[in-house]
Amino acid sequence: MEKLTLLFFKKDCMGCHACEVACKQEHELGIGPRLVRVVENAPDFIPIYCHHCANAPCKAACPVEAISRNERGIVLIDKERCIGCKACLEACPFGAMQYDNAAETAIKCDLCVARLDRNEAPACSNACPTRCIFWGAAAKLNEKLEQTVLAGQ
């Protein structure tokens, strides 16, 4: 199975936060954790999200092996095994890991794996009004990125 990932074209992001809202609704998250965050670095908006790293530092940092990769390459957290030590939060180079105070566990983007199982797009991608969030096979998205960079877009 091909590795799946997300790709944001930040030049097209207008900072509307629709991706954040859609993600919070999809995962029924209350106040606090945001699995996708859009931060302003004037004049740009920078999306912060899990990259589902091939050699995920969060996975390596977890002392109880609560973090794994599925056959699609999606990095997942087993909330039953997570002890809430936050080692994964410190290890993530993207700041994508979050802590759910209510559940006392780490949480992160799971690429809306339940939606993918239903052949639906991740909530963030589906909600983006400028269509700057792409998802799919990592190899194809990297090809798209290379073409965009070479075209000077």
Side-chain angles (χ1 to χ4, degrees):
M1 216 174 240
E2 291 184 290
K3 180 186 184 269
L4 299 178
T5 193
L6 286 176
L7 178 64
F8 284 73
F9 278 90
K10 72 177 184 177
K11 72 172 190 64
D12 294 331
C13 179
M14 63 182 184
C16 71
H17 301 272
C19 55
E20 288 184 19
V21 173
C23 179
K24 285 182 91 57
Q25 288 175 334
E26 179 68 25
H27 295 284
E28 299 177 353
L29 297 174
I31 295 172
R34 295 178 291 162
L35 307 185
V36 174
R37 294 184 324 277
V38 177
V39 296
E40 186 173 359
N41 186 12
D44 298 318
F45 295 97
I46 312 290
I48 308 295
Y49 61 99
C50 179
H51 292 254
H52 301 279
C53 304
N55 295 312
C58 59
K59 182 179 183 295
C62 182
V64 294
E65 299 180 1
I67 301 175
S68 63
R69 297 178 68 73
N70 73 7
E71 67 281 352
R72 294 176 173 163
I74 301 170
V75 177
L76 300 168
I77 299 173
D78 181 342
K79 292 179 184 179
E80 298 299 316
R81 295 183 90 180
C82 179
I83 59 172
C85 70
K86 301 181 185 176
C88 56
L89 276 75
E90 294 176 23
C92 178
F94 302 106
M97 299 294 287
Q98 297 288 297
Y99 188 76
D100 184 344
N101 286 318
E104 297 182 338
T105 62
I107 59 172
K108 59 174 268 334
C109 166
D110 64 2
L111 208 59
C112 289
V113 71
R115 291 176 64 92
L116 295 177
D117 289 345
R118 297 187 308 262
N119 293 319
E120 296 175 11
C124 62
S125 176
N126 202 44
C128 181
T130 62
R131 299 291 173 230
C132 69
I133 305 171
F134 298 89
W135 70 278
K140 290 180 184 175
L141 290 180
N142 283 335
E143 198 173 288
K144 181 178 182 62
L145 179 60
E146 288 172 10
Q147 291 171 354
T148 302
V149 170
L150 291 174
Q153 297 178 359

